[in-house]
Amino acid sequence: MTQTDARTGIPALLQELRGLLPDHVLVTDPAERETYACDGLAAYRVRPALVVLVESADHVAQVLRSCARHHVPFVARGSGTGLSGGALPHADGVLVVTSRLRTLHEVRAQDQRAVVDPGVVNLAVSKAAHPHGYYFAPDPSSQQICSVGGNVAENSGGAHCLKYGFTAGHVLSLEVVTPDGEQVTLGTEAPDPPGYDLLGAFVGSEGTLGVATRATLRLTRLPEEVRTCLAGFASTDEAGAATSAIIAAGIVPAAMEIMDALAIEAAEAAVSCGYPEGAGAVLVVELDGPALEVEGELEQVRRICREQRAVEFRTATDAAERAEIWRGRKSAFAAVGRISPDYIVQDGVVPRTALPEVLREMGRISADRGVRVANVFHAGDGNLHPLVLFDADEEGATGRAEEVSGMILDLCIAHGGSITGEHGVGADKARYMPRMFEPADLDTMQLLRCAFDPDGLANPGKIYPTPRMCGERPRVVHAADESPVDGAEVF
């Protein structure tokens, strides 16, 4: 498929869809389409040729069948909160918006299941399950607005994935529409189904294998006790040492989060969270489980933090104080807007034991390049979220920030880590994939993609730096030649 094929196919596709779908789900006005030009990564913007606000799984199937017939690419989008450009539209394609598919079909407490549409907001699942004594464990920071379909596409995590894992561990089955418009079910409600793990391949595939239209989720029982504490340290080195010591003691907290001095400064300016004054880093630890076990672990955590020279240690005594401790951490990404007009959110991962060395090296990179970096991260599993701060109006500042951002990813790879932990690759990091994988690895991954999508219509241009069609030999494309966007306006 060429761009010309897609561009010339749009008018015919639109005419066909007008005979299949209600007029109100088809968005053709340029100004209205512009509102869907990006996801949470606003640095990349592309106006889609057509937006379809699907209202049923059948609508999705009809759109994808029409796209296949007319060789038009499509991109699925939920709430649009992703941070890697995974839902960036195609200029000559269709944006399939699933936010209107928001029926929460059932909560089955007797077998710890919930059945939901992809547009259901993450936190709404937990609220529906709470009266039955359960909740949905994955909790991205955007859980108040992000949707289950996006969680599935990106295999989202969150602060509590240290103990409870990512979305993949909480999805039992999916109803999906394949790129040729076929409606199929992947997975079962059985605990260990036979056959190839196609469900596992689909979760985290970032919309490149099809569109999910319904999910059966695993619910987690509410813990008997939850205790949240905060420790202030002079530096991230000491906070990191406390993190390692807590894990070494055999404690697996529900969450362990670190913020450095710059991130604390931003959070204080934004939400007045009241973290220890003058601290170089804060460590937030949340413990949950049986009450007696949690109380014992809390005493161990307090002792370990004191041994690692914590300058202050506080424990929430009720839900309000717990929320207050979390308020600064949950607001961190948005909060840096108080101290910098622009910023890049990164998402690298390193082994937990490498955190002190990596953070020190990041500090050296920041100083050498004259670019400030605020650090907020899931300390328990080494998932870094450095916020690279800059002013786009300053000449050369954007380029320096992008250079520092890339150097941080290279640093993660060099220490045995990854270029992403939970935000995905999307349009933003495709050029970094060859730094982490050999050509043969990328080729094998794309063979799987071709098995689902031989015509390359599903979310093209994402994840892989070199597009591949089935039967083609991959060609080498240098990062400098890559562009996250292209295509022309058709209306």
Side-chain angles (χ1 to χ4, degrees):
M1 180 198 69
T2 66
Q3 287 184 3
T4 300
D5 292 334
R7 193 174 300 123
T8 57
I10 282 287
L13 177 141
L14 178 58
Q15 183 177 0
E16 181 174 300
L17 290 180
R18 280 177 169 152
L20 296 171
L21 303 176
D23 285 343
H24 68 270
V25 308
L26 301 172
V27 181
T28 60
D29 178 77
E32 292 183 39
R33 287 183 283 127
E34 185 65 30
T35 64
Y36 297 94
C38 70
D39 57 11
L41 186 66
Y44 296 158
R45 298 187 66 87
V46 178
R47 181 164 57 190
L50 176 66
V51 177
V52 184
L53 307 175
V54 293
E55 295 180 336
S56 69
D58 287 341
H59 281 185
V60 177
Q62 288 169 329
V63 173
L64 268 55
R65 282 195 293 268
S66 293
C67 285
R69 276 193 291 270
H70 297 282
H71 303 286
V72 171
F74 65 88
V75 176
R77 172 193 167 107
S79 297
T81 60
L83 292 170
S84 65
L88 185 74
H90 192 289
D92 302 315
V94 177
L95 188 68
V96 183
V97 180
T98 61
S99 57
R100 291 184 176 181
L101 302 180
R102 50 177 179 264
T103 300
L104 202 160
H105 294 277
E106 58 179 329
V107 173
R108 303 201 306 269
Q110 67 274 18
D111 57 3
Q112 298 179 235
R113 307 286 190 263
V115 181
V116 307
D117 281 352
V120 173
V121 171
N122 178 294
L123 189 59
V125 183
S126 288
K127 287 182 176 179
H130 191 276
H132 304 280
Y134 292 91
Y135 73 112
F136 185 49
D139 64 334
S141 293
S142 59
Q143 68 175 156
Q144 294 184 357
I145 51 175
C146 68
S147 60
V148 169
N151 290 181
V152 168
E154 302 297 329
N155 191 22
S156 300
H160 291 84
C161 65
L162 170 62
K163 185 172 184 178
Y164 294 104
F166 293 81
T167 297
H170 302 270
V171 178
L172 292 161
S173 69
L174 292 171
E175 293 179 15
V176 308
V177 180
T178 62
D180 62 1
E182 182 181 2
Q183 294 174 268
V184 301
T185 299
L186 303 179
T188 72
E189 295 190 34
D192 186 21
Y196 295 115
D197 185 14
L198 298 180
L199 175 67
F202 193 94
V203 177
S205 61
E206 302 190 30
T208 62
L209 305 184
V211 182
T213 55
R214 185 174 295 194
T216 299
L217 306 175
R218 187 194 312 274
L219 299 176
T220 301
R221 182 173 289 280
L222 289 167
E224 180 183 0
E225 183 70 47
V226 179
R227 298 301 299 273
T228 305
C229 56
L230 180 144
F233 294 90
S235 70
T236 53
D237 273 10
E238 293 168 338
T243 298
S244 295
I246 289 167
I247 297 294
I251 300 169
V252 182
M256 296 182 77
E257 303 287 301
I258 289 178
M259 297 171 63
D260 71 4
L262 198 52
I264 296 168
E265 177 188 340
E268 291 291 352
V271 297
S272 301
C273 49
Y275 286 167
E277 188 174 351
V282 293
L283 171 65
V284 176
V285 181
E286 185 154 283
L287 305 162
D288 66 9
L292 287 177
E293 178 181 307
V294 168
E295 288 305 315
E297 290 178 342
L298 180 60
E299 285 306 311
Q300 285 183 277
V301 169
R302 180 182 287 109
R303 174 181 54 78
I304 289 169
C305 287
R306 286 173 176 165
E307 289 173 352
Q308 298 299 328
R309 300 185 294 280
V311 296
E312 184 177 330
F313 188 93
R314 65 179 72 157
T315 304
T317 58
D318 55 30
E321 289 186 5
R322 179 186 170 206
E324 191 69 15
I325 286 177
W326 276 111
R327 193 154 64 104
R329 169 60 186 91
K330 290 284 188 179
S331 69
F333 286 5
V336 295
R338 293 297 188 99
I339 61 173
S340 177
D342 302 285
Y343 61 93
I344 297 171
V345 180
Q346 264 306 351
D347 175 42
V349 183
V350 297
R352 186 173 52 247
T353 52
L355 278 172
E357 182 180 353
V358 169
L359 290 170
R360 283 194 294 271
E361 184 61 27
M362 285 170 57
R364 285 192 288 271
I365 291 171
S366 172
D368 289 346
R369 296 300 189 277
V371 176
R372 295 185 300 165
V373 178
N375 283 293
V376 181
F377 53 97
H378 306 315
D381 54 7
N383 189 182
L384 301 168
H385 292 310
L387 302 160
V388 183
L389 312 182
F390 66 103
D391 183 349
D393 291 335
E394 179 186 334
E395 185 177 356
T398 301
R400 290 194 299 274
E402 290 174 346
E403 180 188 19
V404 167
S405 180
M407 293 175 73
I408 289 172
L409 293 181
D410 286 339
L411 189 61
C412 291
I413 295 170
H415 283 81
S418 167
I419 62 173
T420 182
E422 56 184 345
H423 294 175
V425 176
D428 187 41
K429 297 182 182 180
R431 64 189 182 277
Y432 294 105
M433 288 286 277
R435 302 187 190 184
M436 188 170 174
F437 297 103
E438 296 294 328
D441 299 322
L442 295 172
D443 192 24
T444 301
M445 293 179 199
Q446 294 211 57
L447 286 174
L448 173 63
R449 182 175 183 173
C450 283
F452 279 79
D453 181 25
D455 293 329
L457 298 178
N459 210 7
K462 311 296 170 57
I463 304 179
Y464 303 102
T466 307
R468 175 198 168 106
M469 302 297 287
C470 288
E472 289 183 343
R473 290 181 59 83
R475 61 186 179 87
V476 176
V477 177
H478 297 290
D481 300 328
E482 289 294 308
S483 172
V485 301
D486 61 356
E489 186 58 54
V490 298
F491 286 100

